[in-house]
Structures are given as C-alpha cells and as structure tokens.
Amino acid sequence: GDSVTQMEGPVTLSEEAFLTINCTYTATGYPSLFWYVQYPGEGLQLLLKATKADDKGSNKGFEATYRKETTSFHLEKGSVQVSDSAVYFCALGGQGGKLIFGQGTELSVKP
Amino acid sequence: DGGITQSPKYLFRKEGQNVTLSCEQNLNHDAMYWYRQDPGQGLRLIYYSQIVNDFQKGDIAEGYSVSREKKESFPLTVTSAQKNPTAFYLCASSPREGRSYNSPLHFGNGTRLTVT
C-alpha cells in the first residue's frame, strides 16, 4: 500500500544553517504531496504542497520539489531560524480521501 | 474566523470508562477525520467521514466509535475496549474532492487524553 518514509530526527541545527529533511514515498498513481508543520502543543498546519511531478511547493522560505523519478519530496530551507523549531510531517494524498503521513521529523534550531 | 475546535485540550479518565472527544468545524467542509498521534509514530487514521450520516474505518478503528449527525460535528468516543488509549488526538477537515485527494487538511489543536 501507499506509504511515506522520512528521515529520523531529531535534527539539531544552528541558526542560519541549511536544512534538508528527506522524504520518500511509495504510491500507486500520482498523488499530491504535502509538508505539514506542528508546533509544540498544537495541531498540524499545512506548510506547502505539490500536486504533480516537477511541481515545486514553497512557503515561508521552505521549498520542496515533487520528484517522480526518485519518488521523493525533500524539504529544504536555506537559512533556518529558532522559530522554525517544530516537528515536520511529509504526507501523500491517498485514494478515498485519506492522507498518509510519515512519522515526523523533529527540528531543533539553536541560536 | 473559520476553523476547527477540539475540546477539551486535556482530558483525564480512569481505565474502563468511555470518553467522548468533541470536534466542531465552521469551514463548511464535507469531510472530517480523526487521527491519533503517538511519539515517534506519526499520525494514524482512526475514522473518517466524507458526508453526513456516513463514515469509514481507518487503519486503527478498533476500540473507537464515531457519529456524523451534523456536517459541522464529528465526535470520537474512546471506549473501554481500546487497549492503549493514552495519546494525542487530532481532528481534521477538508472539502470533499471525489475519489482522489488534492486538498490539504485543516487541523484542530488536538486533545491530549490520559487514561490511568
């Protein structure tokens, strides 16, 4: 069945460092792909999305490109801030209206 | 402002008791979902509903029940049959877009349930 695999955390970076969080997926067809962010004690918020191959989603300095050939959707940011500390979830849109999530990657940014 | 309201934020129950978690949305979304979040396991789908008076089991429905009598409400009952109910529960909604899924989910802020 469909699945999403993310790199394990926690990821600890210094402020202004470059961020990459890897995400790969297995799916039938061509699902939409999403990145969500969860701040402590809160629900998830949509960060960005891509609906077809080679699409690039971007928001708040974060980017991810839908790569069909490598079945990947890696999240990147050129310069992280302390306020980016959160848990990041990669997800794909499955059949029947279901969203399938990766296990989440915790990011901690130190000043 | 439109959104999803989950209440209460923290809930404590004794083992063997049923408990109902509230989820209300004013986004006029057709579809609603319940997820369970455990540390290191991401989110797992419990139940979902794409239309009033209809719902489907997700991946971990055992020990849970839901109802969808109104479009804006999708309460989740954690029954005494759920073997490990302590978790963070998230409700979400989205517009219904047929059989494929392209719309993002809107999440509530969750309810943390502790059963002792």
Side-chain angles (χ1 to χ4, degrees):
Chain A
D2 296 353
S3 65
V4 175
T5 302
Q6 292 180 233
M7 64 185 284
E8 287 192 19
V11 174
T12 302
L13 296 173
S14 297
E15 207 165 22
E16 299 184 2
F18 184 86
L19 168 72
T20 300
I21 299 178
N22 290 338
C23 170
T24 56
Y25 67 91
T26 302
T28 52
Y30 304 101
S32 292
L33 299 173
F34 306 84
W35 276 101
Y36 283 82
V37 59
Q38 183 180 35
Y39 298 102
E42 297 184 6
L44 278 68
Q45 302 173 27
L46 178 68
L47 183 58
L48 54 84
K49 75 172 192 177
T51 57
K52 60 183 187 298
D54 299 325
D55 267 2
K56 178 186 281 189
S58 61
N59 186 26
K60 300 180 182 178
F62 291 90
E63 294 182 339
T65 301
Y66 191 144
R67 301 282 188 204
K68 189 177 70 170
E69 63 277 10
T70 54
T71 60
S72 65
F73 192 55
H74 304 321
L75 182 68
E76 297 181 335
K77 186 175 186 183
S79 176
V80 293
Q81 306 300 312
V82 172
S83 57
D84 293 326
S85 297
V87 181
Y88 293 82
F89 290 91
C90 184
L92 69 82
Q95 292 297 315
K98 295 190 290 184
L99 205 60
I100 297 166
F101 288 87
Q103 72 270 35
T105 302
E106 182 180 358
L107 170 66
S108 177
V109 180
K110 306 296 185 187
Chain B
D1 285 342
I4 298 180
T5 301
Q6 289 187 245
S7 60
K9 190 170 178 64
Y10 299 96
L11 193 53
F12 298 89
R13 281 293 183 271
K14 295 289 187 187
E15 195 173 323
Q17 293 179 333
N18 291 356
V19 58
T20 298
L21 282 59
S22 169
C23 178
E24 303 279 332
Q25 55 103 354
N26 60 5
L27 298 166
N28 199 34
H29 286 168
D30 288 305
M32 296 187 75
Y33 306 80
W34 275 104
Y35 285 89
R36 170 181 171 138
Q37 184 177 18
D38 296 283
Q41 293 195 47
L43 276 71
R44 293 181 290 169
L45 182 64
I46 305 172
Y47 268 98
Y48 64 108
S49 167
Q50 294 192 315
I51 197 167
V52 174
N53 292 323
D54 188 40
F55 48 83
Q56 287 78 41
K57 292 181 180 179
D59 301 317
I60 56 164
E62 185 175 349
Y64 299 97
S65 66
V66 293
S67 63
R68 187 84 189 278
E69 297 176 1
K70 297 185 297 182
K71 186 176 185 177
E72 59 270 23
S73 179
F74 192 42
L76 173 74
T77 297
V78 184
T79 75
S80 56
Q82 168 51 233
K83 292 185 173 64
N84 187 17
T86 294
F88 190 51
Y89 290 88
L90 286 161
C91 180
S93 72
S94 74
R96 187 163 64 104
E97 289 192 5
R99 297 172 62 189
S100 65
Y101 186 79
N102 289 309
S103 290
L105 294 181
H106 297 254
F107 283 86
N109 279 334
T111 292
R112 187 166 298 281
L113 173 65
T114 302
V115 177
T116 57

PDB file of all heavy atoms in Angstrom, chain A residues 97, chain B residues 4 25 27-33 49-50 92-97 101 103-106:
ATOM      1  N   GLY A  97      -9.816   9.751  -0.254  1.00  0.00           N
ATOM      2  CA  GLY A  97      -9.801  10.932   0.604  1.00  0.00           C
ATOM      3  C   GLY A  97      -8.959  10.809   1.842  1.00  0.00           C
ATOM      4  O   GLY A  97      -9.142  11.547   2.805  1.00  0.00           O
TER       5      GLY A  97
ATOM      6  N   ILE B   4     -11.370  24.775  13.214  1.00  0.00           N
ATOM      7  CA  ILE B   4     -11.787  23.538  13.873  1.00  0.00           C
ATOM      8  C   ILE B   4     -11.517  23.674  15.359  1.00  0.00           C
ATOM      9  O   ILE B   4     -10.412  24.058  15.763  1.00  0.00           O
ATOM     10  CB  ILE B   4     -11.011  22.335  13.315  1.00  0.00           C
ATOM     11  CG1 ILE B   4     -11.301  22.165  11.838  1.00  0.00           C
ATOM     12  CG2 ILE B   4     -11.383  21.073  14.082  1.00  0.00           C
ATOM     13  CD1 ILE B   4     -10.576  21.001  11.210  1.00  0.00           C
ATOM     14  N   GLN B  25     -16.438  22.059  13.381  1.00  0.00           N
ATOM     15  CA  GLN B  25     -15.821  22.920  12.369  1.00  0.00           C
ATOM     16  C   GLN B  25     -16.860  23.856  11.768  1.00  0.00           C
ATOM     17  O   GLN B  25     -18.023  23.468  11.611  1.00  0.00           O
ATOM     18  CB  GLN B  25     -15.145  22.065  11.276  1.00  0.00           C
ATOM     19  CG  GLN B  25     -16.044  21.051  10.607  1.00  0.00           C
ATOM     20  CD  GLN B  25     -16.525  21.423   9.228  1.00  0.00           C
ATOM     21  OE1 GLN B  25     -16.288  22.530   8.738  1.00  0.00           O
ATOM     22  NE2 GLN B  25     -17.224  20.495   8.579  1.00  0.00           N
ATOM     23  N   LEU B  27     -16.058  25.504   8.807  1.00  0.00           N
ATOM     24  CA  LEU B  27     -15.452  25.747   7.493  1.00  0.00           C
ATOM     25  C   LEU B  27     -16.344  25.274   6.360  1.00  0.00           C
ATOM     26  O   LEU B  27     -15.966  25.387   5.192  1.00  0.00           O
ATOM     27  CB  LEU B  27     -14.103  25.006   7.435  1.00  0.00           C
ATOM     28  CG  LEU B  27     -13.070  25.482   8.465  1.00  0.00           C
ATOM     29  CD1 LEU B  27     -11.927  24.475   8.565  1.00  0.00           C
ATOM     30  CD2 LEU B  27     -12.540  26.846   8.093  1.00  0.00           C
ATOM     31  N   ASN B  28     -17.489  24.682   6.709  1.00  0.00           N
ATOM     32  CA  ASN B  28     -18.413  24.130   5.723  1.00  0.00           C
ATOM     33  C   ASN B  28     -17.763  23.004   4.904  1.00  0.00           C
ATOM     34  O   ASN B  28     -18.086  22.800   3.732  1.00  0.00           O
ATOM     35  CB  ASN B  28     -18.954  25.209   4.769  1.00  0.00           C
ATOM     36  CG  ASN B  28     -20.237  24.754   4.073  1.00  0.00           C
ATOM     37  OD1 ASN B  28     -21.047  24.034   4.639  1.00  0.00           O
ATOM     38  ND2 ASN B  28     -20.415  25.186   2.837  1.00  0.00           N
ATOM     39  N   HIS B  29     -16.855  22.274   5.546  1.00  0.00           N
ATOM     40  CA  HIS B  29     -16.202  21.153   4.877  1.00  0.00           C
ATOM     41  C   HIS B  29     -17.061  19.893   4.975  1.00  0.00           C
ATOM     42  O   HIS B  29     -17.683  19.623   5.993  1.00  0.00           O
ATOM     43  CB  HIS B  29     -14.838  20.876   5.519  1.00  0.00           C
ATOM     44  CG  HIS B  29     -13.805  21.889   5.152  1.00  0.00           C
ATOM     45  ND1 HIS B  29     -12.582  21.969   5.798  1.00  0.00           N
ATOM     46  CD2 HIS B  29     -13.779  22.845   4.202  1.00  0.00           C
ATOM     47  CE1 HIS B  29     -11.868  22.935   5.254  1.00  0.00           C
ATOM     48  NE2 HIS B  29     -12.579  23.484   4.277  1.00  0.00           N
ATOM     49  N   ASP B  30     -17.034  19.128   3.874  1.00  0.00           N
ATOM     50  CA  ASP B  30     -17.795  17.871   3.878  1.00  0.00           C
ATOM     51  C   ASP B  30     -17.078  16.770   4.655  1.00  0.00           C
ATOM     52  O   ASP B  30     -17.698  15.982   5.344  1.00  0.00           O
ATOM     53  CB  ASP B  30     -18.016  17.393   2.438  1.00  0.00           C
ATOM     54  CG  ASP B  30     -19.028  18.259   1.714  1.00  0.00           C
ATOM     55  OD1 ASP B  30     -20.147  18.407   2.234  1.00  0.00           O
ATOM     56  OD2 ASP B  30     -18.702  18.776   0.631  1.00  0.00           O
ATOM     57  N   ALA B  31     -15.760  16.681   4.483  1.00  0.00           N
ATOM     58  CA  ALA B  31     -15.011  15.546   5.034  1.00  0.00           C
ATOM     59  C   ALA B  31     -14.399  15.894   6.386  1.00  0.00           C
ATOM     60  O   ALA B  31     -13.886  17.007   6.590  1.00  0.00           O
ATOM     61  CB  ALA B  31     -13.909  15.115   4.060  1.00  0.00           C
ATOM     62  N   MET B  32     -14.434  14.945   7.296  1.00  0.00           N
ATOM     63  CA  MET B  32     -13.804  15.107   8.603  1.00  0.00           C
ATOM     64  C   MET B  32     -13.078  13.827   8.963  1.00  0.00           C
ATOM     65  O   MET B  32     -13.446  12.742   8.506  1.00  0.00           O
ATOM     66  CB  MET B  32     -14.843  15.464   9.675  1.00  0.00           C
ATOM     67  CG  MET B  32     -15.512  16.810   9.410  1.00  0.00           C
ATOM     68  SD  MET B  32     -16.585  17.357  10.735  1.00  0.00           S
ATOM     69  CE  MET B  32     -15.394  17.878  11.989  1.00  0.00           C
ATOM     70  N   TYR B  33     -12.029  13.983   9.793  1.00  0.00           N
ATOM     71  CA  TYR B  33     -11.113  12.888  10.072  1.00  0.00           C
ATOM     72  C   TYR B  33     -10.696  12.920  11.548  1.00  0.00           C
ATOM     73  O   TYR B  33     -10.599  13.986  12.149  1.00  0.00           O
ATOM     74  CB  TYR B  33      -9.826  13.034   9.240  1.00  0.00           C
ATOM     75  CG  TYR B  33     -10.051  13.185   7.761  1.00  0.00           C
ATOM     76  CD1 TYR B  33     -10.408  14.413   7.205  1.00  0.00           C
ATOM     77  CD2 TYR B  33      -9.872  12.104   6.905  1.00  0.00           C
ATOM     78  CE1 TYR B  33     -10.608  14.554   5.845  1.00  0.00           C
ATOM     79  CE2 TYR B  33     -10.063  12.238   5.537  1.00  0.00           C
ATOM     80  CZ  TYR B  33     -10.430  13.464   5.014  1.00  0.00           C
ATOM     81  OH  TYR B  33     -10.624  13.597   3.664  1.00  0.00           O
ATOM     82  N   SER B  49     -15.021  10.586   7.667  1.00  0.00           N
ATOM     83  CA  SER B  49     -16.380  10.732   7.156  1.00  0.00           C
ATOM     84  C   SER B  49     -16.348  11.722   6.004  1.00  0.00           C
ATOM     85  O   SER B  49     -15.823  12.828   6.147  1.00  0.00           O
ATOM     86  CB  SER B  49     -17.297  11.258   8.265  1.00  0.00           C
ATOM     87  OG  SER B  49     -18.533  11.685   7.748  1.00  0.00           O
ATOM     88  N   GLN B  50     -16.912  11.333   4.880  1.00  0.00           N
ATOM     89  CA  GLN B  50     -16.909  12.229   3.727  1.00  0.00           C
ATOM     90  C   GLN B  50     -18.252  12.928   3.547  1.00  0.00           C
ATOM     91  O   GLN B  50     -18.368  13.849   2.711  1.00  0.00           O
ATOM     92  CB  GLN B  50     -16.531  11.457   2.468  1.00  0.00           C
ATOM     93  CG  GLN B  50     -15.085  10.959   2.520  1.00  0.00           C
ATOM     94  CD  GLN B  50     -14.598  10.441   1.199  1.00  0.00           C
ATOM     95  OE1 GLN B  50     -15.305   9.705   0.523  1.00  0.00           O
ATOM     96  NE2 GLN B  50     -13.396  10.824   0.817  1.00  0.00           N
ATOM     97  N   ALA B  92      -9.521  16.701  11.951  1.00  0.00           N
ATOM     98  CA  ALA B  92      -9.214  17.494  10.758  1.00  0.00           C
ATOM     99  C   ALA B  92     -10.416  17.499   9.830  1.00  0.00           C
ATOM    100  O   ALA B  92     -11.319  16.658   9.938  1.00  0.00           O
ATOM    101  CB  ALA B  92      -7.990  16.921  10.045  1.00  0.00           C
ATOM    102  N   SER B  93     -10.425  18.441   8.907  1.00  0.00           N
ATOM    103  CA  SER B  93     -11.489  18.502   7.920  1.00  0.00           C
ATOM    104  C   SER B  93     -10.916  18.944   6.582  1.00  0.00           C
ATOM    105  O   SER B  93      -9.819  19.520   6.523  1.00  0.00           O
ATOM    106  CB  SER B  93     -12.595  19.461   8.359  1.00  0.00           C
ATOM    107  OG  SER B  93     -12.159  20.805   8.275  1.00  0.00           O
ATOM    108  N   SER B  94     -11.679  18.683   5.520  1.00  0.00           N
ATOM    109  CA  SER B  94     -11.291  19.161   4.195  1.00  0.00           C
ATOM    110  C   SER B  94     -12.512  19.193   3.295  1.00  0.00           C
ATOM    111  O   SER B  94     -13.497  18.484   3.547  1.00  0.00           O
ATOM    112  CB  SER B  94     -10.223  18.254   3.584  1.00  0.00           C
ATOM    113  OG  SER B  94     -10.786  17.039   3.167  1.00  0.00           O
ATOM    114  N   PRO B  95     -12.462  19.991   2.217  1.00  0.00           N
ATOM    115  CA  PRO B  95     -13.516  19.892   1.217  1.00  0.00           C
ATOM    116  C   PRO B  95     -13.434  18.526   0.556  1.00  0.00           C
ATOM    117  O   PRO B  95     -12.344  17.967   0.416  1.00  0.00           O
ATOM    118  CB  PRO B  95     -13.170  21.005   0.218  1.00  0.00           C
ATOM    119  CG  PRO B  95     -12.141  21.832   0.862  1.00  0.00           C
ATOM    120  CD  PRO B  95     -11.440  20.971   1.843  1.00  0.00           C
ATOM    121  N   ARG B  96     -14.549  17.980   0.177  1.00  0.00           N
ATOM    122  CA  ARG B  96     -14.519  16.659  -0.457  1.00  0.00           C
ATOM    123  C   ARG B  96     -14.271  16.846  -1.945  1.00  0.00           C
ATOM    124  O   ARG B  96     -14.890  17.671  -2.570  1.00  0.00           O
ATOM    125  CB  ARG B  96     -15.843  15.949  -0.241  1.00  0.00           C
ATOM    126  CG  ARG B  96     -15.877  14.497  -0.720  1.00  0.00           C
ATOM    127  CD  ARG B  96     -17.039  13.791  -0.091  1.00  0.00           C
ATOM    128  NE  ARG B  96     -18.319  14.354  -0.524  1.00  0.00           N
ATOM    129  CZ  ARG B  96     -19.115  13.772  -1.399  1.00  0.00           C
ATOM    130  NH1 ARG B  96     -18.772  12.626  -1.937  1.00  0.00           N
ATOM    131  NH2 ARG B  96     -20.250  14.330  -1.739  1.00  0.00           N
ATOM    132  N   GLU B  97     -13.303  16.097  -2.488  1.00  0.00           N
ATOM    133  CA  GLU B  97     -12.994  16.223  -3.898  1.00  0.00           C
ATOM    134  C   GLU B  97     -13.023  14.877  -4.582  1.00  0.00           C
ATOM    135  O   GLU B  97     -12.055  14.444  -5.178  1.00  0.00           O
ATOM    136  CB  GLU B  97     -11.611  16.874  -4.077  1.00  0.00           C
ATOM    137  CG  GLU B  97     -11.593  18.328  -3.713  1.00  0.00           C
ATOM    138  CD  GLU B  97     -10.325  19.011  -4.168  1.00  0.00           C
ATOM    139  OE1 GLU B  97      -9.511  18.367  -4.844  1.00  0.00           O
ATOM    140  OE2 GLU B  97     -10.152  20.186  -3.840  1.00  0.00           O
ATOM    141  N   TYR B 101      -7.402  12.764  -3.881  1.00  0.00           N
ATOM    142  CA  TYR B 101      -7.246  13.688  -2.755  1.00  0.00           C
ATOM    143  C   TYR B 101      -6.196  14.721  -3.084  1.00  0.00           C
ATOM    144  O   TYR B 101      -5.025  14.414  -3.188  1.00  0.00           O
ATOM    145  CB  TYR B 101      -6.855  12.898  -1.511  1.00  0.00           C
ATOM    146  CG  TYR B 101      -6.815  13.769  -0.309  1.00  0.00           C
ATOM    147  CD1 TYR B 101      -7.977  14.130   0.336  1.00  0.00           C
ATOM    148  CD2 TYR B 101      -5.620  14.303   0.144  1.00  0.00           C
ATOM    149  CE1 TYR B 101      -7.949  14.980   1.421  1.00  0.00           C
ATOM    150  CE2 TYR B 101      -5.581  15.148   1.213  1.00  0.00           C
ATOM    151  CZ  TYR B 101      -6.757  15.491   1.853  1.00  0.00           C
ATOM    152  OH  TYR B 101      -6.723  16.331   2.918  1.00  0.00           O
ATOM    153  N   SER B 103      -6.822  18.214  -1.739  1.00  0.00           N
ATOM    154  CA  SER B 103      -6.984  19.334  -0.811  1.00  0.00           C
ATOM    155  C   SER B 103      -6.247  19.054   0.486  1.00  0.00           C
ATOM    156  O   SER B 103      -6.263  17.932   0.978  1.00  0.00           O
ATOM    157  CB  SER B 103      -8.461  19.544  -0.490  1.00  0.00           C
ATOM    158  OG  SER B 103      -9.137  20.045  -1.591  1.00  0.00           O
ATOM    159  N   PRO B 104      -5.637  20.076   1.040  1.00  0.00           N
ATOM    160  CA  PRO B 104      -4.985  19.875   2.328  1.00  0.00           C
ATOM    161  C   PRO B 104      -6.012  19.734   3.442  1.00  0.00           C
ATOM    162  O   PRO B 104      -7.152  20.155   3.319  1.00  0.00           O
ATOM    163  CB  PRO B 104      -4.167  21.158   2.510  1.00  0.00           C
ATOM    164  CG  PRO B 104      -4.887  22.171   1.704  1.00  0.00           C
ATOM    165  CD  PRO B 104      -5.477  21.432   0.535  1.00  0.00           C
ATOM    166  N   LEU B 105      -5.587  19.159   4.534  1.00  0.00           N
ATOM    167  CA  LEU B 105      -6.425  19.054   5.720  1.00  0.00           C
ATOM    168  C   LEU B 105      -6.234  20.283   6.607  1.00  0.00           C
ATOM    169  O   LEU B 105      -5.152  20.857   6.673  1.00  0.00           O
ATOM    170  CB  LEU B 105      -6.042  17.817   6.539  1.00  0.00           C
ATOM    171  CG  LEU B 105      -6.283  16.455   5.914  1.00  0.00           C
ATOM    172  CD1 LEU B 105      -5.858  15.361   6.873  1.00  0.00           C
ATOM    173  CD2 LEU B 105      -7.726  16.297   5.523  1.00  0.00           C
ATOM    174  N   HIS B 106      -7.308  20.670   7.266  1.00  0.00           N
ATOM    175  CA  HIS B 106      -7.253  21.697   8.296  1.00  0.00           C
ATOM    176  C   HIS B 106      -7.391  20.987   9.634  1.00  0.00           C
ATOM    177  O   HIS B 106      -8.335  20.232   9.831  1.00  0.00           O
ATOM    178  CB  HIS B 106      -8.380  22.703   8.109  1.00  0.00           C
ATOM    179  CG  HIS B 106      -8.295  23.458   6.831  1.00  0.00           C
ATOM    180  ND1 HIS B 106      -7.896  24.774   6.773  1.00  0.00           N
ATOM    181  CD2 HIS B 106      -8.540  23.085   5.553  1.00  0.00           C
ATOM    182  CE1 HIS B 106      -7.910  25.171   5.505  1.00  0.00           C
ATOM    183  NE2 HIS B 106      -8.296  24.175   4.749  1.00  0.00           N
TER     184      HIS B 106
END
